[in-house]
Amino acid sequence: MAPPSSGPRRRSRFSPLTRQVFLYLFCLIPAVSDIAQGMANTLGPNPVSVCLHDFGRWAFRFLLISLAVSPLKRFVGLDFMVYRRPLGLLAFSYAALHVVFYVGVARHFDAHVLWKDFTSRPFLTFGLLTFLILLALALTSTRRAIIALGRRWAKLHKLVYVAMILASVHYAIAFKTWHTEPFIYAAIAGVLLSLRLVPKAGKRTV
Amino acid sequence: MAVYRYPRPASSDITPRRLFFSRRALLGTAVGGVLAGGLNSGMAQADAPVAPSARGCPAAETPTPRDDVTHYNNFYEFGMEKSDPAELSGGFHPRPWQVQVDGLVEHPQVWDLDALNARFGHEDRLYRMRCVEAWSMVIPWQGFELGALLRAAGVKAGAKYVAFTSVVRPSEMPGQRGGLFSLRWPYVEGLRLDEAMHPLTLLATGVYGEALPAQNGAPIRLVVPWKYGFKGIKSITRITVTDQQPPTSWNQMAPDEYGFYANVNPDVDHPRWSQSSEQIIGEGSLFRTARRPTRLFNGYAEQVASLYRGMDLRKDF
Ligand code: HEM
């Protein structure tokens, strides 16, 4: 049996961009699958609701995963930094699908109803704010934007922490009764966010 | 006994629907056909859906496909997802079953389900069903009027309300196991006596011409078509006539969201959903839901509005 290699990891045959695009496309499978099943009428009596909910959960999960990238590198030594951007864009893409399914498919772009929704239903206000942050981050995720914004880019993208908190609240209060899953997800989010508070300077014992 | 002529949902009182050619439309038509052929009353015939004409006339109000009626349920005793009740109710035993009728009645009695069926029989009622979550169905129930049972029990003077209790069987109902944040069991509901005696108020024992499946509230449940669906307590074990307004489960859970009356009302907003319109289950496409405006008392205002004369429906929601 070959001994575990201790040297630098084998270089991929594929360029970073290719790997990013591949990851992004691969992770769109749940969306494609839901939409295909929805069109084939195999998602049950309310396919729109299934899609809405699935997309919301995927958005949340990809937001979590994208926030796990830097702690993984810092504390575990696993470097997936090249995948952080596609993971963030996946969170945004699923959030966008989720929002389109609510605003368009379910609510028929009814401005009157939507205004009332966003101004008087707290869970939707939290959802909207989360989405606006993700939108801003997605729009400034290009190389051009990074260069143009300079130092301010890093500051702006710290908003992802706020998005994670807002999304956790949106998820927790989205249902008629308290569900367990949102709290499990929120706990994971809490851990990932607290890891940011661990001071960078000095010796670490981890 | 005179047969109560209840208002059937008719083509004239619904908003025209867009025509569409999906599996659902076909299913609706097919099931409607079965209904018309399979039930003994003339009602089914009258409400058999009219095939959409090529010119795009609105179709008659079609019963929601049976599959949707039996696979899209809120029955938290089995789980919180709409698909849970159908999937997780396999271990539930709706037979044998007893219903205790007690409280302020002349003849308190524990009824066996078969005795109830034998005594009160059943008739067909095609009712609209409006969920507080802003979706709706049209459901062909079979059952008997709650009023008939209450009259047989002999309601005593001084009675004002009727309290209902559902079943607690954690071994057969997975939603009743654990669930720290869930509703409290048993599920309880209540009606004012005049609401309970109203001829529209039904104790349903069947749907689509068959005994109620577990997920729809087997073997006997309440149907109050002008109120939000959660008032329709399922798997009833006890009916108590009382002089006190009884506690109701959702109201206990969130009093600001779910009132005791829970009358369908497009003008009384729910904190989570606009109640001004509703999604029609079994229609629409993946890219556009079918919706229609919600009507006061779910379209049964003519029959029930008088019950609430002088009441502030915003306060007593
Ligand atoms: C304008 C923005 C948004 C709107 C209008 C919106 C709307 C909704 C609605 C209507 C629900 C279903 C609640 C119910 O069952 O009654 C929901 C659930 C949910 N949303 Fe959002 N949302 C928004 C943004 C977001 C964002 C940005 C995320 C994640 C990053 C998200 C994650 C979720 C999750 C995880 C659920 C629960 C799904 C489930 O487990 O069933 N939402 N949202």
Side-chain angles (χ1 to χ4, degrees):
Chain A
M1 229 171 65
S5 72
S6 51
R9 290 209 299 157
R10 193 174 65 87
R11 294 217 165 263
S12 168
R13 259 184 297 154
F14 302 105
S15 76
L17 183 67
T18 312
R19 284 182 284 150
Q20 287 176 334
V21 171
F22 184 77
L23 177 80
Y24 182 83
L25 293 178
F26 180 80
C27 291
L28 284 182
I29 288 175
V32 174
S33 156
D34 264 10
I35 288 172
Q37 287 186 74
M39 291 171 69
N41 261 318
T42 57
L43 281 186
N46 195 348
V48 170
S49 168
V50 173
C51 286
L52 176 80
H53 285 247
D54 279 356
F55 296 160
R57 276 192 297 260
W58 282 112
F60 195 97
R61 288 180 194 133
F62 282 113
L63 197 54
L64 271 185
I65 298 173
S66 65
L67 279 174
V69 171
S70 86
L72 269 182
K73 183 177 175 197
R74 189 175 154 200
F75 298 106
V76 187
L78 287 174
D79 187 350
F80 293 115
M81 287 305 267
V82 68
Y83 295 118
R84 199 166 63 166
R85 179 158 35 178
L87 286 169
L89 286 174
L90 279 161
F92 166 73
S93 306
Y94 277 100
L97 279 170
H98 177 69
V99 174
V100 164
F101 262 73
Y102 184 74
V103 170
V105 179
R107 290 264 147 237
H108 300 182
F109 300 104
D110 184 332
H112 182 72
V113 170
L114 289 167
W115 175 256
K116 181 103 210 275
D117 276 352
F118 291 131
T119 53
S120 68
R121 310 188 199 285
F123 91 96
L124 291 174
T125 314
F126 279 102
L128 178 65
L129 292 175
T130 316
F131 180 68
L132 292 178
I133 293 179
L134 295 185
L135 177 68
L137 302 190
L139 290 176
T140 56
S141 67
T142 59
R143 180 175 291 271
R144 281 255 298 285
I146 296 171
I147 294 167
L149 285 170
R151 276 165 178 272
R152 282 172 305 158
W153 186 89
K155 256 198 189 144
L156 178 70
H157 278 244
K158 289 232 153 58
L159 278 178
V160 71
Y161 306 145
V162 180
M164 189 74 259
I165 293 167
L166 295 175
S168 301
V169 178
H170 170 69
Y171 190 9
I173 64 175
F175 305 101
K176 280 159 70 183
T177 56
W178 299 110
H179 285 203
T180 324
E181 301 85 47
F183 290 94
I184 297 172
Y185 277 109
I188 301 173
V191 170
L192 289 175
L193 292 181
S194 342
L195 288 176
R196 267 77 187 177
L197 299 175
V198 177
K200 284 221 167 78
K203 281 263 178 279
R204 285 196 309 266
T205 46
V206 188
Chain B
M1 201 182 81
V3 174
Y4 176 63
R5 299 195 63 79
Y6 75 101
R8 296 159 194 161
S11 53
S12 54
D13 57 39
I14 59 155
T15 32
R17 313 162 168 188
R18 288 181 333 116
L19 291 179
F20 60 96
F21 299 93
S22 71
R23 182 191 70 107
R24 294 189 177 279
L26 296 175
L27 240 186
T29 313
V31 172
V34 170
L35 180 77
L39 294 180
N40 38 20
S41 85
M43 156 237 138
Q45 230 97 51
D47 285 293
V50 179
S53 86
R55 281 182 296 121
C57 298
E61 186 138 50
T62 327
T64 306
R66 184 182 190 281
D67 241 22
D68 293 349
V69 173
T70 56
H71 289 80
Y72 195 73
N73 309 101
N74 275 324
F75 198 168
Y76 279 40
E77 283 85 337
F78 292 114
M80 289 173 166
E81 299 287 330
K82 297 283 184 295
S83 51
D84 286 343
E87 275 168 26
L88 304 176
S89 61
F92 184 69
H93 299 293
R95 294 298 181 103
W97 194 270
Q98 267 116 33
V99 182
Q100 181 175 350
V101 179
D102 60 5
L104 296 174
V105 292
E106 306 288 350
H107 318 290
Q109 185 175 345
V110 178
W111 289 84
D112 196 78
L113 186 71
D114 297 322
L116 279 175
N117 282 330
R119 171 76 184 268
F120 300 102
H122 62 81
E123 56 180 294
D124 298 309
R125 294 279 174 102
L126 184 68
Y127 281 165
R128 284 182 289 271
M129 205 288 291
R130 171 64 157 76
C131 178
V132 72
E133 296 166 2
W135 51 265
S136 68
M137 295 184 178
V138 177
I139 306 179
W141 302 106
Q142 289 75 47
F144 56 90
E145 290 173 16
L146 171 63
L149 174 61
L150 292 176
R151 277 190 295 274
V155 175
K156 284 188 180 167
K160 291 202 181 77
Y161 295 92
V162 181
F164 304 85
T165 311
S166 187
V167 69
V168 186
R169 289 189 193 166
S171 61
E172 298 179 16
M173 306 179 112
Q176 290 183 336
R177 303 197 281 265
L180 218 52
F181 309 122
S182 192
L183 290 168
R184 269 182 274 161
W185 314 116
Y187 193 92
V188 288
E189 257 305 337
L191 293 174
R192 225 168 51 189
L193 186 61
D194 56 347
E195 298 174 325
M197 297 301 291
H198 194 281
L200 277 177
T201 303
L202 193 73
L203 283 175
T205 49
V207 67
Y208 261 105
E210 284 167 24
L212 282 181
Q215 64 267 32
N216 291 83
I220 184 165
R221 63 165 295 167
L222 184 67
V223 180
V224 193
W226 72 91
K227 292 175 180 284
Y228 292 120
F230 68 85
K231 291 298 285 184
I233 183 171
K234 302 183 174 89
S235 307
I236 297 171
T237 59
R238 187 171 179 190
I239 299 175
T240 306
V241 179
T242 138
D243 55 358
Q244 307 278 325
Q245 179 173 309
T248 61
S249 283
W250 279 101
N251 178 254
Q252 285 180 317
M253 165 93 199
D256 52 325
E257 295 185 41
Y258 312 95
F260 173 78
Y261 286 94
N263 292 317
V264 175
N265 190 336
D267 301 322
V268 176
D269 205 40
H270 184 276
R272 290 167 185 278
W273 309 280
S274 162
Q275 296 295 29
S276 63
S277 69
E278 63 207 42
Q279 183 187 348
I280 307 169
I281 299 298
E283 288 196 20
S285 77
L286 183 64
F287 304 110
R288 192 178 159 88
T289 52
R291 299 195 76 87
R292 70 166 161 225
T294 289
R295 290 183 299 161
L296 182 61
F297 298 118
N298 204 20
Y300 298 96
E302 208 182 301
Q303 289 73 37
V304 302
S306 59
L307 297 176
Y308 308 102
R309 200 162 287 142
M311 273 173 61
D312 182 353
L313 297 177
R314 290 185 177 280
K315 214 176 108 251
D316 289 314
F317 58 93

